[in-house]
Amino acid sequence: MWFVIWAEDKPNSLAARKATRPAHLERLHQLQQEGRLLVAGPCPAIASADPGEAGFTGSMVVAEFDDLAAAEAWAQADPYVAAGVYQQVTVKPYLKVLP
């Protein structure tokens, strides 16, 4: 089943986000290679593809997992969690309808 992982950044976490990004992306690429990634990306703090020092407010991932426990475990193992980028991570089942 698909699950949405919604993560909210801590204030002033941009430096930690930048430093940890390669490890974070590596895990997403693995999901993609396995055919389990629907969409993933950050939420800029301002309406810009490159928010610069304004940074990001969080991230969203929609990926396929066997169950909620597996999705939650994957989310909690994210390098951004270990680096203290995220202040909260929410995982919910997701039904893809369109397109």
Side-chain angles (χ1 to χ4, degrees), residues 55-73:
F56 300 89
T57 61
S59 301
M60 188 211 42
V61 174
V62 179
E64 190 173 30
F65 295 93
D66 289 337
D67 53 35
L68 180 60
E72 288 175 336

Side-chain angles (χ1 to χ4, degrees), residues 12-51:
N12 304 311
S13 61
L14 183 58
R17 177 183 269 274
K18 287 179 177 179
T20 313
R21 187 169 189 259
H24 171 77
L25 288 178
E26 182 178 326
R27 297 177 80 235
L28 292 171
H29 288 299
Q30 181 178 356
L31 283 178
Q32 184 178 30
Q33 290 169 356
E34 295 169 359
R36 297 173 42 211
L37 182 64
L38 182 63
V39 66
C43 300
I46 59 173
S48 173
D50 181 3

